[in-house]
Amino acid sequence: MVNFFKKAFRDMKESAKAQHEVDKANFEAAKAEAKATWEEAKMSPAARQAKMQEEREAQIAEAKARTAAAQERIDAAKNRK
């Protein structure tokens, strides 16, 4: 019976340590994201405009790739008939 409780408390301790590591990693990620947002907010209007243009171009490229993949699926489905 004593060994059962020792094992249970050891497991709880290990679980708490693991959860603490997860929490610590999530906190560091949130801090880094907040800093990145702050740095982006301080960008000059020209730099912000360039960044937004890059993001739009990336979105357009992704949309074109999705369209091409969908067209391939359409063509494959038509050829199966």
Side-chain angles (χ1 to χ4, degrees), residues 6-72:
K6 282 184 181 181
K7 184 179 182 299
F9 284 115
R10 189 175 342 112
D11 289 346
M12 284 190 292
K13 182 179 177 181
E14 291 172 5
S15 178
K17 282 183 182 180
Q19 185 61 46
H20 177 69
E21 291 298 318
V22 170
D23 292 342
K24 199 162 66 168
N26 284 332
F27 179 71
E28 289 299 320
K31 274 180 33 178
E33 289 169 346
K35 184 171 182 165
T37 301
W38 174 251
E39 293 299 326
E40 287 173 346
K42 293 189 321 184
M43 287 171 40
S44 69
R48 187 173 313 157
Q49 190 77 17
K51 181 180 180 290
M52 289 175 65
Q53 183 62 33
E54 288 175 10
E55 289 175 357
R56 284 191 292 266
E57 289 171 359
Q59 289 175 349
I60 289 170
E62 181 184 346
K64 286 182 179 180
R66 288 177 33 217
T67 302
Q71 188 61 46
E72 289 176 11

